[in-house]
Amino acid sequence: MFVPCERGGSSASSDFKGFTLLMPAVSVGNVGQLAIDLVISTLGMTKVGYFYTDCLVPMVGNNPYATAEENSVELSINAEVYSLPSKKLVVLQIRSPFIKNKYRPFCQTLLSWVKSSKCARVLVLSSSHAYQRDDEQLLGTPLRYLLTPDLEKAVGGLMQQLNWKEMEKVAAYPGINDTEKVLHIPGGGITKLLFTESCSKGIQMAVLLKFCSEGDNIPDAFALVNYLNEWLQLIKSEVNTSSQWKIPSSWRLLFGSGLPPALF
């Protein structure tokens, strides 16, 4: 699945032993993908490879993190891998939606790669429909987290120190049987499947998500990446952390380029 880049006549290493893998779920508002953009752009991460998969809609485009005319013509595809060895961080960015009925094969192949590449843990940035929250989820912050049992042992105490709220389970049959609770992440794409598969396979995984609605989701992306930064400390925390994240050049066209002036 992972294909390393050829740089200077040699292939990039596919051994990420001890690294944290950060990736988005293709979910409501594309919040996770936008947050990943901010991480890659701000940290100046290097592309080390890509995922070759038939589970995602094919796409190709210009370099979304171009900083000059010289590197703006580099091509990017639907699933690429970036690395920052100094922070033991590897990032998978997904840029297109999943093909119908391909969720499970993708998750299985991804988790197999996580094990073979020796990543220490996986962090998934996701989102969920705000309008489908239950009463308990309406209270307090719109940010939530989930930890697999194997990661809970390692960082559960830190989550308590940060005063984070764990994603609540909701009634499986509201109004009929409110005692049976299940994990429900509407609009979360592969989030729930990835999480439950990681639980069963003994993989250390955390899900960080935000309740949101479709629209201009840039503020949601900043909120989610700041939430991540509380834990990982990727950049120095200040009162206004959002101003420290570097907006990638591709965001200039996020909502189109506007109407041509010649029309007026």
PDB file of all heavy atoms in Angstrom, residues 198-234:
ATOM      1  N   SER A 198      -9.159  -1.166  15.647  1.00  0.00           N
ATOM      2  CA  SER A 198      -7.934  -0.966  16.421  1.00  0.00           C
ATOM      3  C   SER A 198      -8.080  -1.533  17.824  1.00  0.00           C
ATOM      4  O   SER A 198      -7.121  -2.082  18.385  1.00  0.00           O
ATOM      5  CB  SER A 198      -7.589   0.524  16.485  1.00  0.00           C
ATOM      6  OG  SER A 198      -7.293   1.029  15.201  1.00  0.00           O
ATOM      7  N   CYS A 199      -9.272  -1.407  18.389  1.00  0.00           N
ATOM      8  CA  CYS A 199      -9.529  -1.991  19.714  1.00  0.00           C
ATOM      9  C   CYS A 199      -9.326  -3.499  19.684  1.00  0.00           C
ATOM     10  O   CYS A 199      -8.689  -4.083  20.576  1.00  0.00           O
ATOM     11  CB  CYS A 199     -10.936  -1.659  20.183  1.00  0.00           C
ATOM     12  SG  CYS A 199     -11.203   0.067  20.668  1.00  0.00           S
ATOM     13  N   SER A 200      -9.857  -4.137  18.654  1.00  0.00           N
ATOM     14  CA  SER A 200      -9.781  -5.605  18.566  1.00  0.00           C
ATOM     15  C   SER A 200      -8.383  -6.099  18.206  1.00  0.00           C
ATOM     16  O   SER A 200      -8.011  -7.216  18.555  1.00  0.00           O
ATOM     17  CB  SER A 200     -10.800  -6.127  17.542  1.00  0.00           C
ATOM     18  OG  SER A 200     -10.492  -5.649  16.242  1.00  0.00           O
ATOM     19  N   LYS A 201      -7.588  -5.257  17.518  1.00  0.00           N
ATOM     20  CA  LYS A 201      -6.248  -5.666  17.080  1.00  0.00           C
ATOM     21  C   LYS A 201      -5.145  -5.224  18.048  1.00  0.00           C
ATOM     22  O   LYS A 201      -3.963  -5.456  17.800  1.00  0.00           O
ATOM     23  CB  LYS A 201      -5.955  -5.107  15.685  1.00  0.00           C
ATOM     24  CG  LYS A 201      -6.838  -5.679  14.590  1.00  0.00           C
ATOM     25  CD  LYS A 201      -6.506  -5.063  13.240  1.00  0.00           C
ATOM     26  CE  LYS A 201      -7.455  -5.528  12.149  1.00  0.00           C
ATOM     27  NZ  LYS A 201      -7.324  -6.970  11.885  1.00  0.00           N
ATOM     28  N   GLY A 202      -5.526  -4.565  19.145  1.00  0.00           N
ATOM     29  CA  GLY A 202      -4.536  -4.146  20.122  1.00  0.00           C
ATOM     30  C   GLY A 202      -3.668  -2.990  19.667  1.00  0.00           C
ATOM     31  O   GLY A 202      -2.527  -2.834  20.121  1.00  0.00           O
ATOM     32  N   ILE A 203      -4.185  -2.150  18.772  1.00  0.00           N
ATOM     33  CA  ILE A 203      -3.435  -0.999  18.266  1.00  0.00           C
ATOM     34  C   ILE A 203      -3.743   0.224  19.133  1.00  0.00           C
ATOM     35  O   ILE A 203      -4.887   0.462  19.502  1.00  0.00           O
ATOM     36  CB  ILE A 203      -3.796  -0.724  16.791  1.00  0.00           C
ATOM     37  CG1 ILE A 203      -3.260  -1.854  15.906  1.00  0.00           C
ATOM     38  CG2 ILE A 203      -3.247   0.619  16.320  1.00  0.00           C
ATOM     39  CD1 ILE A 203      -3.677  -1.770  14.462  1.00  0.00           C
ATOM     40  N   GLN A 204      -2.701   0.984  19.450  1.00  0.00           N
ATOM     41  CA  GLN A 204      -2.891   2.199  20.226  1.00  0.00           C
ATOM     42  C   GLN A 204      -3.414   3.303  19.304  1.00  0.00           C
ATOM     43  O   GLN A 204      -2.691   3.771  18.433  1.00  0.00           O
ATOM     44  CB  GLN A 204      -1.570   2.642  20.873  1.00  0.00           C
ATOM     45  CG  GLN A 204      -1.070   1.686  21.929  1.00  0.00           C
ATOM     46  CD  GLN A 204       0.047   2.269  22.781  1.00  0.00           C
ATOM     47  OE1 GLN A 204       0.281   3.477  22.768  1.00  0.00           O
ATOM     48  NE2 GLN A 204       0.727   1.422  23.533  1.00  0.00           N
ATOM     49  N   MET A 205      -4.666   3.689  19.495  1.00  0.00           N
ATOM     50  CA  MET A 205      -5.285   4.708  18.642  1.00  0.00           C
ATOM     51  C   MET A 205      -6.085   5.685  19.486  1.00  0.00           C
ATOM     52  O   MET A 205      -6.754   5.307  20.458  1.00  0.00           O
ATOM     53  CB  MET A 205      -6.201   4.076  17.590  1.00  0.00           C
ATOM     54  CG  MET A 205      -6.971   5.106  16.739  1.00  0.00           C
ATOM     55  SD  MET A 205      -8.018   4.374  15.468  1.00  0.00           S
ATOM     56  CE  MET A 205      -6.788   3.919  14.254  1.00  0.00           C
ATOM     57  N   ALA A 206      -6.015   6.951  19.079  1.00  0.00           N
ATOM     58  CA  ALA A 206      -6.857   7.993  19.661  1.00  0.00           C
ATOM     59  C   ALA A 206      -7.632   8.653  18.537  1.00  0.00           C
ATOM     60  O   ALA A 206      -7.121   8.820  17.431  1.00  0.00           O
ATOM     61  CB  ALA A 206      -6.011   9.025  20.394  1.00  0.00           C
ATOM     62  N   VAL A 207      -8.866   9.011  18.823  1.00  0.00           N
ATOM     63  CA  VAL A 207      -9.693   9.793  17.895  1.00  0.00           C
ATOM     64  C   VAL A 207      -9.963  11.134  18.557  1.00  0.00           C
ATOM     65  O   VAL A 207     -10.415  11.187  19.707  1.00  0.00           O
ATOM     66  CB  VAL A 207     -11.022   9.085  17.585  1.00  0.00           C
ATOM     67  CG1 VAL A 207     -11.924   9.994  16.744  1.00  0.00           C
ATOM     68  CG2 VAL A 207     -10.780   7.760  16.866  1.00  0.00           C
ATOM     69  N   LEU A 208      -9.653  12.209  17.850  1.00  0.00           N
ATOM     70  CA  LEU A 208     -10.011  13.557  18.302  1.00  0.00           C
ATOM     71  C   LEU A 208     -11.028  14.091  17.312  1.00  0.00           C
ATOM     72  O   LEU A 208     -10.766  14.088  16.101  1.00  0.00           O
ATOM     73  CB  LEU A 208      -8.792  14.483  18.341  1.00  0.00           C
ATOM     74  CG  LEU A 208      -7.542  14.002  19.095  1.00  0.00           C
ATOM     75  CD1 LEU A 208      -6.502  15.120  19.156  1.00  0.00           C
ATOM     76  CD2 LEU A 208      -7.872  13.511  20.484  1.00  0.00           C
ATOM     77  N   LEU A 209     -12.181  14.528  17.790  1.00  0.00           N
ATOM     78  CA  LEU A 209     -13.215  14.973  16.854  1.00  0.00           C
ATOM     79  C   LEU A 209     -13.928  16.217  17.346  1.00  0.00           C
ATOM     80  O   LEU A 209     -13.890  16.552  18.528  1.00  0.00           O
ATOM     81  CB  LEU A 209     -14.211  13.853  16.557  1.00  0.00           C
ATOM     82  CG  LEU A 209     -15.145  13.311  17.637  1.00  0.00           C
ATOM     83  CD1 LEU A 209     -16.361  14.190  17.816  1.00  0.00           C
ATOM     84  CD2 LEU A 209     -15.578  11.902  17.301  1.00  0.00           C
ATOM     85  N   LYS A 210     -14.587  16.864  16.408  1.00  0.00           N
ATOM     86  CA  LYS A 210     -15.368  18.063  16.718  1.00  0.00           C
ATOM     87  C   LYS A 210     -16.753  17.944  16.114  1.00  0.00           C
ATOM     88  O   LYS A 210     -16.900  17.513  14.964  1.00  0.00           O
ATOM     89  CB  LYS A 210     -14.676  19.318  16.158  1.00  0.00           C
ATOM     90  CG  LYS A 210     -15.372  20.620  16.574  1.00  0.00           C
ATOM     91  CD  LYS A 210     -14.653  21.837  16.048  1.00  0.00           C
ATOM     92  CE  LYS A 210     -15.273  23.120  16.635  1.00  0.00           C
ATOM     93  NZ  LYS A 210     -16.678  23.285  16.282  1.00  0.00           N
ATOM     94  N   PHE A 211     -17.766  18.310  16.877  1.00  0.00           N
ATOM     95  CA  PHE A 211     -19.122  18.402  16.339  1.00  0.00           C
ATOM     96  C   PHE A 211     -19.196  19.660  15.477  1.00  0.00           C
ATOM     97  O   PHE A 211     -18.787  20.745  15.901  1.00  0.00           O
ATOM     98  CB  PHE A 211     -20.149  18.489  17.473  1.00  0.00           C
ATOM     99  CG  PHE A 211     -20.228  17.256  18.330  1.00  0.00           C
ATOM    100  CD1 PHE A 211     -19.903  17.310  19.674  1.00  0.00           C
ATOM    101  CD2 PHE A 211     -20.639  16.045  17.793  1.00  0.00           C
ATOM    102  CE1 PHE A 211     -19.984  16.179  20.469  1.00  0.00           C
ATOM    103  CE2 PHE A 211     -20.716  14.902  18.578  1.00  0.00           C
ATOM    104  CZ  PHE A 211     -20.386  14.969  19.921  1.00  0.00           C
ATOM    105  N   CYS A 212     -19.735  19.531  14.274  1.00  0.00           N
ATOM    106  CA  CYS A 212     -19.784  20.696  13.383  1.00  0.00           C
ATOM    107  C   CYS A 212     -20.883  20.505  12.342  1.00  0.00           C
ATOM    108  O   CYS A 212     -21.546  19.463  12.293  1.00  0.00           O
ATOM    109  CB  CYS A 212     -18.439  20.904  12.686  1.00  0.00           C
ATOM    110  SG  CYS A 212     -18.027  19.605  11.510  1.00  0.00           S
ATOM    111  N   SER A 213     -21.067  21.514  11.524  1.00  0.00           N
ATOM    112  CA  SER A 213     -22.014  21.476  10.420  1.00  0.00           C
ATOM    113  C   SER A 213     -21.275  21.817   9.137  1.00  0.00           C
ATOM    114  O   SER A 213     -20.207  22.442   9.158  1.00  0.00           O
ATOM    115  CB  SER A 213     -23.158  22.474  10.641  1.00  0.00           C
ATOM    116  OG  SER A 213     -23.831  22.211  11.852  1.00  0.00           O
ATOM    117  N   GLU A 214     -21.817  21.431   8.000  1.00  0.00           N
ATOM    118  CA  GLU A 214     -21.221  21.768   6.712  1.00  0.00           C
ATOM    119  C   GLU A 214     -21.257  23.276   6.487  1.00  0.00           C
ATOM    120  O   GLU A 214     -22.199  23.952   6.887  1.00  0.00           O
ATOM    121  CB  GLU A 214     -21.976  21.071   5.573  1.00  0.00           C
ATOM    122  CG  GLU A 214     -21.840  19.561   5.553  1.00  0.00           C
ATOM    123  CD  GLU A 214     -20.561  19.080   4.915  1.00  0.00           C
ATOM    124  OE1 GLU A 214     -19.698  19.923   4.576  1.00  0.00           O
ATOM    125  OE2 GLU A 214     -20.416  17.853   4.736  1.00  0.00           O
ATOM    126  N   GLY A 215     -20.240  23.797   5.837  1.00  0.00           N
ATOM    127  CA  GLY A 215     -20.178  25.230   5.538  1.00  0.00           C
ATOM    128  C   GLY A 215     -18.736  25.665   5.460  1.00  0.00           C
ATOM    129  O   GLY A 215     -17.893  24.942   4.931  1.00  0.00           O
ATOM    130  N   ASP A 216     -18.427  26.839   5.995  1.00  0.00           N
ATOM    131  CA  ASP A 216     -17.047  27.284   6.107  1.00  0.00           C
ATOM    132  C   ASP A 216     -16.471  26.631   7.360  1.00  0.00           C
ATOM    133  O   ASP A 216     -16.702  27.085   8.479  1.00  0.00           O
ATOM    134  CB  ASP A 216     -16.979  28.807   6.218  1.00  0.00           C
ATOM    135  CG  ASP A 216     -15.539  29.320   6.335  1.00  0.00           C
ATOM    136  OD1 ASP A 216     -14.610  28.483   6.414  1.00  0.00           O
ATOM    137  OD2 ASP A 216     -15.343  30.544   6.364  1.00  0.00           O
ATOM    138  N   ASN A 217     -15.722  25.550   7.177  1.00  0.00           N
ATOM    139  CA  ASN A 217     -15.237  24.771   8.314  1.00  0.00           C
ATOM    140  C   ASN A 217     -13.804  25.092   8.714  1.00  0.00           C
ATOM    141  O   ASN A 217     -13.188  24.335   9.470  1.00  0.00           O
ATOM    142  CB  ASN A 217     -15.379  23.277   8.017  1.00  0.00           C
ATOM    143  CG  ASN A 217     -16.827  22.854   7.871  1.00  0.00           C
ATOM    144  OD1 ASN A 217     -17.325  22.673   6.768  1.00  0.00           O
ATOM    145  ND2 ASN A 217     -17.527  22.725   8.990  1.00  0.00           N
ATOM    146  N   ILE A 218     -13.284  26.213   8.220  1.00  0.00           N
ATOM    147  CA  ILE A 218     -11.934  26.623   8.609  1.00  0.00           C
ATOM    148  C   ILE A 218     -11.840  26.867  10.116  1.00  0.00           C
ATOM    149  O   ILE A 218     -10.895  26.398  10.767  1.00  0.00           O
ATOM    150  CB  ILE A 218     -11.484  27.852   7.797  1.00  0.00           C
ATOM    151  CG1 ILE A 218     -11.223  27.442   6.338  1.00  0.00           C
ATOM    152  CG2 ILE A 218     -10.237  28.484   8.400  1.00  0.00           C
ATOM    153  CD1 ILE A 218     -10.854  28.589   5.423  1.00  0.00           C
ATOM    154  N   PRO A 219     -12.801  27.579  10.740  1.00  0.00           N
ATOM    155  CA  PRO A 219     -12.731  27.744  12.207  1.00  0.00           C
ATOM    156  C   PRO A 219     -12.745  26.408  12.952  1.00  0.00           C
ATOM    157  O   PRO A 219     -12.080  26.259  13.983  1.00  0.00           O
ATOM    158  CB  PRO A 219     -13.977  28.579  12.525  1.00  0.00           C
ATOM    159  CG  PRO A 219     -14.275  29.316  11.256  1.00  0.00           C
ATOM    160  CD  PRO A 219     -13.920  28.365  10.160  1.00  0.00           C
ATOM    161  N   ASP A 220     -13.507  25.423  12.431  1.00  0.00           N
ATOM    162  CA  ASP A 220     -13.534  24.099  13.060  1.00  0.00           C
ATOM    163  C   ASP A 220     -12.174  23.428  12.965  1.00  0.00           C
ATOM    164  O   ASP A 220     -11.729  22.752  13.901  1.00  0.00           O
ATOM    165  CB  ASP A 220     -14.595  23.220  12.385  1.00  0.00           C
ATOM    166  CG  ASP A 220     -15.998  23.773  12.527  1.00  0.00           C
ATOM    167  OD1 ASP A 220     -16.414  24.056  13.657  1.00  0.00           O
ATOM    168  OD2 ASP A 220     -16.680  23.938  11.494  1.00  0.00           O
ATOM    169  N   ALA A 221     -11.495  23.599  11.822  1.00  0.00           N
ATOM    170  CA  ALA A 221     -10.168  23.010  11.638  1.00  0.00           C
ATOM    171  C   ALA A 221      -9.168  23.601  12.621  1.00  0.00           C
ATOM    172  O   ALA A 221      -8.359  22.875  13.223  1.00  0.00           O
ATOM    173  CB  ALA A 221      -9.690  23.226  10.201  1.00  0.00           C
ATOM    174  N   PHE A 222      -9.229  24.926  12.810  1.00  0.00           N
ATOM    175  CA  PHE A 222      -8.338  25.566  13.781  1.00  0.00           C
ATOM    176  C   PHE A 222      -8.632  25.060  15.192  1.00  0.00           C
ATOM    177  O   PHE A 222      -7.710  24.796  15.981  1.00  0.00           O
ATOM    178  CB  PHE A 222      -8.489  27.088  13.727  1.00  0.00           C
ATOM    179  CG  PHE A 222      -7.654  27.749  12.659  1.00  0.00           C
ATOM    180  CD1 PHE A 222      -8.247  28.371  11.575  1.00  0.00           C
ATOM    181  CD2 PHE A 222      -6.272  27.751  12.746  1.00  0.00           C
ATOM    182  CE1 PHE A 222      -7.480  28.972  10.591  1.00  0.00           C
ATOM    183  CE2 PHE A 222      -5.493  28.356  11.770  1.00  0.00           C
ATOM    184  CZ  PHE A 222      -6.095  28.968  10.690  1.00  0.00           C
ATOM    185  N   ALA A 223      -9.903  24.915  15.522  1.00  0.00           N
ATOM    186  CA  ALA A 223     -10.273  24.419  16.856  1.00  0.00           C
ATOM    187  C   ALA A 223      -9.745  23.004  17.074  1.00  0.00           C
ATOM    188  O   ALA A 223      -9.216  22.676  18.152  1.00  0.00           O
ATOM    189  CB  ALA A 223     -11.796  24.453  17.023  1.00  0.00           C
ATOM    190  N   LEU A 224      -9.855  22.164  16.046  1.00  0.00           N
ATOM    191  CA  LEU A 224      -9.414  20.775  16.172  1.00  0.00           C
ATOM    192  C   LEU A 224      -7.892  20.670  16.256  1.00  0.00           C
ATOM    193  O   LEU A 224      -7.355  19.893  17.059  1.00  0.00           O
ATOM    194  CB  LEU A 224      -9.943  19.950  14.994  1.00  0.00           C
ATOM    195  CG  LEU A 224      -9.700  18.434  15.062  1.00  0.00           C
ATOM    196  CD1 LEU A 224     -10.350  17.837  16.321  1.00  0.00           C
ATOM    197  CD2 LEU A 224     -10.259  17.745  13.813  1.00  0.00           C
ATOM    198  N   VAL A 225      -7.181  21.458  15.451  1.00  0.00           N
ATOM    199  CA  VAL A 225      -5.715  21.372  15.471  1.00  0.00           C
ATOM    200  C   VAL A 225      -5.163  21.985  16.765  1.00  0.00           C
ATOM    201  O   VAL A 225      -4.137  21.522  17.292  1.00  0.00           O
ATOM    202  CB  VAL A 225      -5.106  22.034  14.212  1.00  0.00           C
ATOM    203  CG1 VAL A 225      -5.078  23.549  14.301  1.00  0.00           C
ATOM    204  CG2 VAL A 225      -3.714  21.484  13.923  1.00  0.00           C
ATOM    205  N   ASN A 226      -5.839  22.984  17.316  1.00  0.00           N
ATOM    206  CA  ASN A 226      -5.429  23.512  18.624  1.00  0.00           C
ATOM    207  C   ASN A 226      -5.666  22.487  19.727  1.00  0.00           C
ATOM    208  O   ASN A 226      -4.884  22.385  20.686  1.00  0.00           O
ATOM    209  CB  ASN A 226      -6.196  24.800  18.940  1.00  0.00           C
ATOM    210  CG  ASN A 226      -5.705  25.989  18.137  1.00  0.00           C
ATOM    211  OD1 ASN A 226      -4.559  26.017  17.692  1.00  0.00           O
ATOM    212  ND2 ASN A 226      -6.568  26.970  17.918  1.00  0.00           N
ATOM    213  N   TYR A 227      -6.748  21.740  19.602  1.00  0.00           N
ATOM    214  CA  TYR A 227      -7.063  20.644  20.532  1.00  0.00           C
ATOM    215  C   TYR A 227      -5.947  19.603  20.489  1.00  0.00           C
ATOM    216  O   TYR A 227      -5.447  19.169  21.538  1.00  0.00           O
ATOM    217  CB  TYR A 227      -8.402  20.048  20.097  1.00  0.00           C
ATOM    218  CG  TYR A 227      -9.043  19.042  21.011  1.00  0.00           C
ATOM    219  CD1 TYR A 227      -9.280  19.318  22.355  1.00  0.00           C
ATOM    220  CD2 TYR A 227      -9.488  17.820  20.500  1.00  0.00           C
ATOM    221  CE1 TYR A 227      -9.921  18.395  23.174  1.00  0.00           C
ATOM    222  CE2 TYR A 227     -10.134  16.897  21.312  1.00  0.00           C
ATOM    223  CZ  TYR A 227     -10.343  17.182  22.643  1.00  0.00           C
ATOM    224  OH  TYR A 227     -10.983  16.270  23.454  1.00  0.00           O
ATOM    225  N   LEU A 228      -5.534  19.229  19.280  1.00  0.00           N
ATOM    226  CA  LEU A 228      -4.425  18.290  19.103  1.00  0.00           C
ATOM    227  C   LEU A 228      -3.143  18.839  19.731  1.00  0.00           C
ATOM    228  O   LEU A 228      -2.380  18.114  20.377  1.00  0.00           O
ATOM    229  CB  LEU A 228      -4.219  18.033  17.609  1.00  0.00           C
ATOM    230  CG  LEU A 228      -2.959  17.270  17.200  1.00  0.00           C
ATOM    231  CD1 LEU A 228      -3.055  15.802  17.597  1.00  0.00           C
ATOM    232  CD2 LEU A 228      -2.720  17.384  15.693  1.00  0.00           C
ATOM    233  N   ASN A 229      -2.918  20.132  19.552  1.00  0.00           N
ATOM    234  CA  ASN A 229      -1.680  20.745  20.033  1.00  0.00           C
ATOM    235  C   ASN A 229      -1.603  20.783  21.562  1.00  0.00           C
ATOM    236  O   ASN A 229      -0.505  20.789  22.124  1.00  0.00           O
ATOM    237  CB  ASN A 229      -1.559  22.164  19.472  1.00  0.00           C
ATOM    238  CG  ASN A 229      -0.161  22.723  19.603  1.00  0.00           C
ATOM    239  OD1 ASN A 229       0.799  22.140  19.089  1.00  0.00           O
ATOM    240  ND2 ASN A 229      -0.013  23.836  20.293  1.00  0.00           N
ATOM    241  N   GLU A 230      -2.765  20.806  22.229  1.00  0.00           N
ATOM    242  CA  GLU A 230      -2.762  20.731  23.689  1.00  0.00           C
ATOM    243  C   GLU A 230      -2.057  19.462  24.161  1.00  0.00           C
ATOM    244  O   GLU A 230      -1.405  19.443  25.210  1.00  0.00           O
ATOM    245  CB  GLU A 230      -4.194  20.738  24.230  1.00  0.00           C
ATOM    246  CG  GLU A 230      -4.897  22.080  24.162  1.00  0.00           C
ATOM    247  CD  GLU A 230      -6.285  22.006  24.778  1.00  0.00           C
ATOM    248  OE1 GLU A 230      -6.430  21.348  25.840  1.00  0.00           O
ATOM    249  OE2 GLU A 230      -7.226  22.565  24.197  1.00  0.00           O
ATOM    250  N   TRP A 231      -2.210  18.409  23.382  1.00  0.00           N
ATOM    251  CA  TRP A 231      -1.626  17.116  23.739  1.00  0.00           C
ATOM    252  C   TRP A 231      -0.198  16.985  23.206  1.00  0.00           C
ATOM    253  O   TRP A 231       0.745  16.776  23.971  1.00  0.00           O
ATOM    254  CB  TRP A 231      -2.522  16.003  23.193  1.00  0.00           C
ATOM    255  CG  TRP A 231      -2.021  14.607  23.410  1.00  0.00           C
ATOM    256  CD1 TRP A 231      -0.941  14.216  24.162  1.00  0.00           C
ATOM    257  CD2 TRP A 231      -2.590  13.398  22.886  1.00  0.00           C
ATOM    258  NE1 TRP A 231      -0.806  12.846  24.128  1.00  0.00           N
ATOM    259  CE2 TRP A 231      -1.793  12.322  23.363  1.00  0.00           C
ATOM    260  CE3 TRP A 231      -3.678  13.132  22.076  1.00  0.00           C
ATOM    261  CZ2 TRP A 231      -2.069  10.994  23.028  1.00  0.00           C
ATOM    262  CZ3 TRP A 231      -3.961  11.816  21.741  1.00  0.00           C
ATOM    263  CH2 TRP A 231      -3.170  10.754  22.215  1.00  0.00           C
ATOM    264  N   LEU A 232      -0.017  17.140  21.888  1.00  0.00           N
ATOM    265  CA  LEU A 232       1.276  16.847  21.273  1.00  0.00           C
ATOM    266  C   LEU A 232       2.282  17.991  21.345  1.00  0.00           C
ATOM    267  O   LEU A 232       3.476  17.770  21.148  1.00  0.00           O
ATOM    268  CB  LEU A 232       1.080  16.445  19.804  1.00  0.00           C
ATOM    269  CG  LEU A 232       0.332  15.152  19.511  1.00  0.00           C
ATOM    270  CD1 LEU A 232       0.465  14.793  18.038  1.00  0.00           C
ATOM    271  CD2 LEU A 232       0.826  14.000  20.371  1.00  0.00           C
ATOM    272  N   GLN A 233       1.794  19.220  21.585  1.00  0.00           N
ATOM    273  CA  GLN A 233       2.693  20.382  21.637  1.00  0.00           C
ATOM    274  C   GLN A 233       3.550  20.466  20.375  1.00  0.00           C
ATOM    275  O   GLN A 233       4.782  20.576  20.440  1.00  0.00           O
ATOM    276  CB  GLN A 233       3.586  20.309  22.880  1.00  0.00           C
ATOM    277  CG  GLN A 233       2.831  20.412  24.196  1.00  0.00           C
ATOM    278  CD  GLN A 233       2.182  21.789  24.396  1.00  0.00           C
ATOM    279  OE1 GLN A 233       2.863  22.791  24.458  1.00  0.00           O
ATOM    280  NE2 GLN A 233       0.863  21.807  24.490  1.00  0.00           N
ATOM    281  N   LEU A 234       2.893  20.449  19.218  1.00  0.00           N
ATOM    282  CA  LEU A 234       3.594  20.539  17.937  1.00  0.00           C
ATOM    283  C   LEU A 234       4.170  21.927  17.723  1.00  0.00           C
ATOM    284  O   LEU A 234       5.223  22.098  17.106  1.00  0.00           O
ATOM    285  CB  LEU A 234       2.633  20.186  16.796  1.00  0.00           C
ATOM    286  CG  LEU A 234       2.064  18.766  16.818  1.00  0.00           C
ATOM    287  CD1 LEU A 234       1.038  18.593  15.699  1.00  0.00           C
ATOM    288  CD2 LEU A 234       3.183  17.741  16.670  1.00  0.00           C
TER     289      LEU A 234
END
